[in-house]
Amino acid sequence: MSGTILIVDGLATNRIVLKVKLSAAYFSVEQASTAADAVAAILRDKPQAVLMSGDLPDRDACELIRGIHALPGCDRLPVLVLSADRTPQVRIDLLRAGADDVMSKPCCDKTLLARLRSMARHAPVEADLDLTHDTAEALGFAEAQAGFAARGLIAALHSGAARDQALCRRLAQATSHRFETLRTGRTDLLTGLQVPPDVLLTFLPPGAGEPELVHLAELCSAPQTRQSRVLALIDPEDDALAAKVLDLGVHDIAAHDADPGEITLRLEKLLHAKQADDTQKARLRTGLHAAVTDPLTGLYNRRYALSQMARLIDSARSSGQTFAVMVADLDHFKAVNDTYGHAAGDQVLTRVAHALRDALRPGDSLSRIGGEEFLVLMPQSGIADARAMAKHLCQTVRDTAITLPGVQTPVTLTISIGAMVADPARQGATFEPEAMVAEADHALYAAKSGGRDMVTISHLSAA
Amino acid sequence: MSGTILIVDGLATNRIVLKVKLSAAYFSVEQASTAADAVAAILRDKPQAVLMSGDLPDRDACELIRGIHALPGCDRLPVLVLSADRTPQVRIDLLRAGADDVMSKPCCDKTLLARLRSMARHAPVEADLDLTHDTAEALGFAEAQAGFAARGLIAALHSGAARDQALCRRLAQATSHRFETLRTGRTDLLTGLQVPPDVLLTFLPPGAGEPELVHLAELCSAPQTRQSRVLALIDPEDDALAAKVLDLGVHDIAAHDADPGEITLRLEKLLHAKQADDTQKARLRTGLHAAVTDPLTGLYNRRYALSQMARLIDSARSSGQTFAVMVADLDHFKAVNDTYGHAAGDQVLTRVAHALRDALRPGDSLSRIGGEEFLVLMPQSGIADARAMAKHLCQTVRDTAITLPGVQTPVTLTISIGAMVADPARQGATFEPEAMVAEADHALYAAKSGGRDMVTISHLSAA
C-alpha cells in the first residue's frame, strides 16, 4: 500500500483544491479526470484509497466503483464518494455499489481528512504484510471475498431514548443478522452477550462531549468489543465531532437522522468487512501452520524439526543434558509404490507415520524429513533411551499390518533407524542441527547395509 | 490475548479502587498481592497487561518486571508501574528494567485508562493471530528479541522554540541512533527524509488544542510516518491532553520537562519495539512464503500447484481455453542416492529442477510435488504444446551433466513425463486438480513401463 490517495474528478479546479488540502495533511496525491484514467491510475499507482466525484464525465459512479473492485487485488480498495446529490436513494445506491462512504458536497474538510485517516488506520489485515503476489495467491488472499456472509451479531448500545429504541426496532427488522439491543450505563453491559458482537452500533447524543467520547474509546479497546466494527450515529451538524469520533478509532459514522435503509446498509457492510478480515486471519493461520507441517501425514516437516533442534541445542547448552536424534527410513518402500501405485504408497506412509507417532513418549517429536524418511527428537535422553525407543519403533512398524483397498493380504513393512546422542560435553563434535542429522543418517546407512529392520547408534556418541 | 488487566499491589484497598475504575471502563481484572502471586496469575490468566505498584511486599519492582519478561511467551507483555517515588533515577531504572510506563501516584484516572487502551491498540503484530504454540515456536515468534537493535532513525519535529532545539541537541548526543531534527509547518517536511523514521518525537506546546491534535492525527496516518512509533512531549499538568493524545494513536507520552535520560530511554524503547515488530512481520512473510515453496529446490510445492490449478480451472471454465498438466519423474533417481549419498542426491534434484524451470515458457510453472516428481502447468496450451514442451524437457535433462564433488565423471539422468490436457469441453471428465494429476500420473506410468526417458500423453485427452 503506497499511502497515495487517488482523486477522480472531471473538474480541474476541484482536483486542485482537494490536492492542496490533502497534501497539507501529508497525504500524497494522484489525479484522474475520467473513469478510464482512474482505472489506469489504480493499476499503475496502487493507491491506498480513491476519492471520487459522484458525477463523472464518462461513466456512472456506481459502475466505476464496481469496476474498481473487480480489478485484480482491488476488491477491498476503499472508495469515498463526494456527491452533490443528497437524495437517500442515490446515497444508498452508491453504498450498495461498494462505496465506503458518501459525503455530501460541499463537505467538511476536517471530516474528510479524518475519514481518510480512518481508512489508513483500518487497512485490511494482509495489506501491511506486503506478501509477494505468488504467496498471496497461493494462500487465497487474492481471491475475492464471497458476497454473502454467515449470520453475524450486531449489538446496538443506546441510552433508552424513545427515538433510538424505535430506530433499533426498525433496524432489527431490516437485517437478516442477529440484532441485540443493550442499554448503556451498566458496567456488565457487554458481558451479557454470549459472543463478541461483529458490529457495535452506538448513539452519540446531540452536544456529545468528553464523557461520551471517552466511552467510545473504551468500547474500542474493551476485551468484548476490541475486534468489533463500530458505527456511531451522530449529530450531522457537528462536523468537529465527526472528525474526533473517527480519529478515536470508530470505523464508520452516519447522521442519526439518516435513512434507516442507509444505516442498515452501513451496518451490513461493516459486518461483511469484519468477516472478511476474520477469513484472512484464518488463512494466515492456516498458511503459517502449513509452513511447519507435512501435508500428507500431518507430521511436522523438516523446517520444524530443524527449528526444534535449535531450541534443544540451546537448552542442552544451558542445562548440560543430552538429547537423542534418530533418522528412520522405511525399508524397500519403492516396491510399495511400484507394486500398488502412488496412492497406496501415500496410505502406507500415513499409517506408518501415525503408528510411529503413537509409539513415542509425550515430549518426543516426529517429523517427516524426506519421502519415506522420518526424524525423531527425544529431549533429555541418552544412549540407552535412544536404543530402547529405536527398537520399540522397529517392532511397532513390524507389527503394523496395513490393509490396502483391492489388496487381499495386508502389507507389512520394516524400518531401519540410525541414532545419535547430542551431548554438549562431547569433545570435537559440531553442535549444529544439520551435522546431527548427517551423523544419524550415517548410522542409518550402517543399519541399511547391515540388513535393514535394525538400529545403529552412532559410535561417535559413545565416546 | 485475553483482554484482562492484572493488578499487582500489596494493599487490598488500592487493588479494590483500581478494580472499580478499570471495570467501569469495561476491562476485566485479575488481582495479585505479591510478586509470587503475580507470576502465577500471569501464567494462568495470560493477561493483556500488568498494572503494578512500584512498592511490593516481597520483591523489588525492577526484579519482578525482568522476571515477568523472562516468562515463556511474555517477553513483550506490557507492564505499567504506579510509583510513589518521583525521583528521575527511580523512573529510569523502572523503564530500563522493562516497564512500558511509570506513572506517579496519585495518578490521573483518565491518563491511566487511556494508557491501557493504547496498550490494547498497539498489541504486537502476532498477538491477534492466535497462532498455536507449535506454529509460533517453529516460526521463531516465541524467541525473545535481541536486546540490542540495528541503528535506526529518530526524527524530531519541533516548531523552532529555543528550548526544544536545546533538548534535541542533547537527545541527539545521547542516542547511538540517527537523530534528525525537522521544523514543523512545512508540508514537504517528511519527504525530506530518505527513509521513514522508526520513531517520531513531537512537541505539543502548552495549551495545545484542536489544531495540534489534528496535526498529531495526521502524522499517525501519513504515508511516511504511519509505521513510525510516536512519542509526544506534553505539558505534565494537562491530564486531559495526555489522555486525548494517547487515544489518537500516539504510542508514548512524556512530560516536556522530564529528565533527558528518561526521554532518550523512551525513544530507544519505542525504536526497539518497532524493530521487533518489523522482525515479526518479516517472520510472518517468510513463514507464509515457506508454506508454498519447496525448501530444497526453491520451486513451488504441491500446495501451490493445486491452488494454481484451481485458478486455471476457473479461468478455463470462463474462457473455454484448455491448459496442460504434466507430471515429470526422474528415472532411476534412487540409484543416485544409493551410490553417492543423500547430499549428492539433493544436489542433483536441485540442478535438474533449475534446468527444467529455465526450459519452460514464461507463464508456465514448475512445482516439486514429490521426492523426484515435478508438476508442470502450462496455461492456454493444447496437446501439441504439451508434447513439444515435454520432449524439450526430456532433452534438457539428458543434456544436463551434473558435476558432483569427489566424483570424476559428471552424472547424467533422464526423466519420464506423463501429460494430459484439461479441456472444459471434454465430456465425462472430472475437472478437478487431483483428478488431473492422477491422469497425468497414469500417463507417466505408461512412459516408465515403455522404457523411460520418454513422454506419454493421456489418451483420454485426445477424445
Side-chain angles (χ1 to χ4, degrees):
Chain A
M1 148 144 32
S2 66
T4 299
I5 310 290
L6 176 67
I7 298 173
V8 189
D9 198 305
L11 291 179
T13 45
N14 286 356
R15 294 198 302 274
I16 290 164
V17 169
L18 280 173
K19 181 177 169 137
V20 169
K21 287 175 188 167
L22 267 56
S23 301
Y26 303 117
F27 286 108
S28 43
V29 176
E30 294 291 337
Q31 305 179 39
S33 58
T34 63
D37 282 359
V39 168
I42 289 168
L43 293 174
R44 185 185 62 231
D45 302 324
K46 309 242 170 283
Q48 161 190 337
V50 176
L51 176 57
M52 61 181 265
S53 164
D55 193 19
L56 296 170
D58 59 336
R59 206 159 155 200
D60 172 67
C62 288
E63 257 183 59
L64 175 58
I65 298 170
R66 279 188 286 261
I68 288 172
H69 288 155
L71 295 174
C74 294
D75 62 308
R76 298 174 85 192
L77 178 61
V79 177
L80 196 53
V81 182
L82 299 179
S83 164
D85 192 334
R86 291 167 179 259
T87 326
Q89 194 55 47
V90 168
R91 296 173 57 82
I92 287 179
D93 288 346
L94 286 163
L95 288 169
R96 186 162 285 142
D100 289 75
D101 193 20
V102 183
M103 302 181 75
S104 300
K105 279 198 233 184
C107 82
C108 162
D109 295 347
K110 278 183 188 170
T111 313
L112 172 62
L113 293 170
R115 174 64 78 170
L116 291 173
R117 287 195 289 273
S118 166
M119 286 175 172
R121 168 185 287 186
H122 297 123
V125 60
E126 74 278 15
D128 271 345
L129 277 178
D130 261 335
L131 297 177
T132 65
H133 180 70
D134 288 344
T135 305
E137 241 190 2
L139 293 169
F141 284 120
E143 278 158 40
Q145 301 283 332
F148 286 90
R151 194 151 183 264
L153 172 60
I154 300 170
L157 205 61
H158 67 76
S159 61
R163 197 183 64 172
D164 298 346
Q165 292 195 32
L167 178 59
C168 283
R169 277 193 297 274
R170 287 192 62 173
L171 296 174
Q173 278 166 4
T175 182
S176 59
H177 297 283
R178 228 178 100 205
F179 193 100
E180 297 274 349
T181 307
L182 303 165
R183 287 283 293 276
T184 50
R186 290 169 45 211
T187 56
D188 61 341
L189 174 77
L190 297 167
T191 51
L193 294 170
Q194 305 270 305
V195 290
D198 296 300
V199 181
L200 197 64
L201 173 67
T202 68
F203 296 78
L204 282 188
E210 199 69 18
E212 286 82 8
L213 290 177
V214 169
H215 185 231
L216 257 189
E218 285 167 358
L219 289 173
C220 289
S221 65
Q224 271 282 76
T225 43
R226 208 159 53 84
Q227 308 286 351
S228 308
R229 304 295 167 123
V230 181
L231 172 64
L233 296 186
I234 64 171
D235 178 357
E237 305 303 317
D238 194 344
D239 287 325
L241 181 66
K244 278 185 207 161
V245 163
L246 287 169
D247 276 337
L248 277 180
V250 158
H251 299 76
D252 196 11
I253 52 173
H256 56 52
D257 57 0
D259 186 280
E262 176 181 328
I263 297 174
T264 301
L265 196 51
R266 285 182 186 269
L267 288 171
E268 300 199 335
K269 282 165 69 78
L270 286 174
L271 195 142
H272 290 171
K274 162 71 160 53
Q275 293 184 332
D277 247 6
D278 290 348
T279 305
Q280 299 293 60
K281 273 189 201 162
R283 284 176 177 161
L284 270 177
R285 272 194 298 271
T286 312
L288 291 170
H289 178 71
V292 297
T293 327
D294 165 45
L296 177 65
T297 59
L299 297 186
Y300 294 119
N301 62 15
R302 186 181 189 97
R303 178 188 172 92
Y304 177 85
L306 294 180
S307 85
Q308 207 209 339
M309 283 178 82
R311 287 192 298 280
L312 284 176
I313 287 171
D314 281 349
S315 85
R317 279 216 178 96
S318 61
S319 70
Q321 274 199 302
T322 61
F323 64 93
V325 178
M326 312 202 287
V327 177
D329 193 278
L330 271 176
D331 299 324
H332 302 299
F333 175 69
K334 197 156 175 56
V336 176
N337 270 341
D338 292 346
T339 314
Y340 307 108
H342 263 291
D346 284 355
Q347 260 182 290
V348 168
L349 277 174
T350 307
R351 275 297 307 280
V352 169
H354 296 173
L356 289 173
R357 185 171 54 189
D358 296 344
L360 293 173
R361 307 172 306 184
D364 297 343
S365 81
L366 182 67
S367 319
R368 182 171 173 223
I369 59 168
E372 62 260 35
E373 198 175 24
F374 302 91
L375 186 82
V376 178
L377 294 175
M378 301 174 64
Q380 300 173 20
S381 302
I383 288 179
D385 305 302
R387 182 176 289 121
M389 178 56 79
K391 289 188 169 179
H392 176 51
L393 293 178
C394 284
Q395 186 65 47
T396 300
V397 173
R398 233 177 277 134
D399 291 348
T400 304
I402 303 164
T403 312
L404 293 172
V407 182
Q408 203 87 41
T409 328
V411 174
T412 314
L413 278 90
T414 58
I415 203 162
S416 301
I417 297 181
M420 64 85 66
V421 170
D423 184 348
R426 204 170 94 184
Q427 295 292 316
T430 320
F431 218 52
E432 292 290 339
E434 295 283 7
M436 291 175 187
V437 175
E439 188 179 329
D441 234 356
H442 192 79
L444 171 66
Y445 273 95
K448 291 276 185 185
S449 334
R452 295 188 169 82
D453 190 16
M454 58 182 282
V455 177
T456 307
I457 312 273
S458 167
H459 291 298
L460 283 172
S461 66
Chain B
M1 148 143 33
S2 66
T4 299
I5 310 289
L6 175 67
I7 297 172
V8 189
D9 198 305
L11 291 178
T13 44
N14 287 355
R15 294 198 303 273
I16 291 165
V17 170
L18 280 172
K19 182 178 169 136
V20 169
K21 287 175 188 167
L22 267 56
S23 301
Y26 303 117
F27 286 107
S28 43
V29 176
E30 295 291 335
Q31 304 178 39
S33 58
T34 63
D37 282 358
V39 168
I42 289 167
L43 293 173
R44 185 184 63 232
D45 302 324
K46 309 241 171 284
Q48 163 190 336
V50 176
L51 177 57
M52 61 180 265
S53 163
D55 193 20
L56 297 170
D58 60 335
R59 207 160 156 200
D60 172 67
C62 288
E63 258 182 60
L64 176 58
I65 298 170
R66 279 188 287 261
I68 288 172
H69 287 156
L71 295 174
C74 295
D75 62 309
R76 297 174 86 192
L77 178 61
V79 176
L80 197 53
V81 183
L82 300 178
S83 165
D85 192 335
R86 292 169 178 256
T87 325
Q89 194 54 48
V90 169
R91 296 173 57 83
I92 288 179
D93 287 346
L94 287 163
L95 288 168
R96 186 161 286 142
D100 289 75
D101 193 20
V102 182
M103 301 181 75
S104 299
K105 277 199 233 184
C107 81
C108 161
D109 294 348
K110 278 184 189 169
T111 312
L112 172 62
L113 292 170
R115 173 66 77 170
L116 290 172
R117 287 195 289 273
S118 166
M119 287 173 171
R121 167 184 287 186
H122 298 123
V125 60
E126 74 279 14
D128 271 345
L129 276 178
D130 262 336
L131 297 176
T132 64
H133 180 70
D134 288 343
T135 305
E137 243 191 0
L139 293 169
F141 284 120
E143 278 158 39
Q145 302 283 331
F148 286 91
R151 196 154 182 260
L153 171 60
I154 300 170
L157 206 60
H158 68 76
S159 62
R163 197 183 63 172
D164 298 347
Q165 293 196 32
L167 177 59
C168 283
R169 277 193 298 273
R170 287 193 63 173
L171 296 174
Q173 279 165 4
T175 183
S176 58
H177 297 283
R178 226 177 100 206
F179 193 101
E180 297 273 349
T181 307
L182 303 165
R183 286 284 295 275
T184 50
R186 290 170 45 211
T187 56
D188 60 343
L189 176 77
L190 298 168
T191 51
L193 293 171
Q194 305 269 305
V195 290
D198 296 300
V199 181
L200 197 64
L201 172 68
T202 68
F203 296 78
L204 281 187
E210 200 68 18
E212 285 81 8
L213 290 177
V214 169
H215 186 231
L216 257 189
E218 286 168 356
L219 289 173
C220 289
S221 67
Q224 271 281 77
T225 43
R226 208 159 53 84
Q227 308 287 351
S228 309
R229 305 296 168 120
V230 182
L231 171 64
L233 296 187
I234 63 171
D235 178 355
E237 304 304 317
D238 193 345
D239 287 325
L241 181 66
K244 278 185 207 161
V245 163
L246 286 169
D247 276 337
L248 277 181
V250 159
H251 299 76
D252 196 11
I253 50 173
H256 57 51
D257 57 0
D259 186 281
E262 177 181 328
I263 297 174
T264 301
L265 196 50
R266 286 182 185 268
L267 288 171
E268 300 200 334
K269 282 165 71 78
L270 286 174
L271 195 142
H272 291 169
K274 162 71 160 52
Q275 293 184 332
D277 247 6
D278 289 348
T279 305
Q280 300 293 59
K281 273 190 202 161
R283 284 175 176 160
L284 269 176
R285 272 194 299 272
T286 311
L288 291 170
H289 179 72
V292 298
T293 326
D294 166 45
L296 177 65
T297 60
L299 298 186
Y300 294 119
N301 62 16
R302 186 181 190 97
R303 178 188 173 91
Y304 177 85
L306 293 179
S307 86
Q308 208 209 339
M309 284 178 82
R311 287 192 299 280
L312 284 177
I313 287 171
D314 281 350
S315 85
R317 280 215 178 96
S318 61
S319 70
Q321 275 198 301
T322 61
F323 64 92
V325 177
M326 311 201 287
V327 177
D329 194 277
L330 270 177
D331 298 325
H332 302 299
F333 175 68
K334 197 154 175 57
V336 175
N337 269 342
D338 292 347
T339 314
Y340 306 108
H342 263 290
D346 285 354
Q347 261 182 288
V348 167
L349 277 174
T350 306
R351 274 297 306 279
V352 169
H354 295 173
L356 290 173
R357 184 171 56 190
D358 295 344
L360 293 173
R361 306 171 309 184
D364 297 342
S365 81
L366 181 67
S367 318
R368 182 172 173 223
I369 60 169
E372 61 261 35
E373 199 175 23
F374 302 92
L375 186 82
V376 178
L377 293 175
M378 300 174 64
Q380 301 172 20
S381 302
I383 289 179
D385 304 304
R387 182 176 291 119
M389 178 56 79
K391 289 188 169 178
H392 176 50
L393 294 178
C394 284
Q395 186 63 47
T396 301
V397 172
R398 234 177 277 134
D399 291 349
T400 304
I402 302 164
T403 312
L404 293 172
V407 181
Q408 201 86 40
T409 326
V411 173
T412 314
L413 278 91
T414 59
I415 202 161
S416 301
I417 298 181
M420 65 84 65
V421 169
D423 183 349
R426 205 170 93 184
Q427 295 293 317
T430 319
F431 218 54
E432 293 289 339
E434 295 282 7
M436 291 175 187
V437 175
E439 188 179 329
D441 235 356
H442 192 78
L444 170 67
Y445 273 96
K448 291 276 186 186
S449 334
R452 295 188 169 82
D453 190 16
M454 58 182 283
V455 177
T456 308
I457 312 272
S458 168
H459 291 297
L460 283 173
S461 66

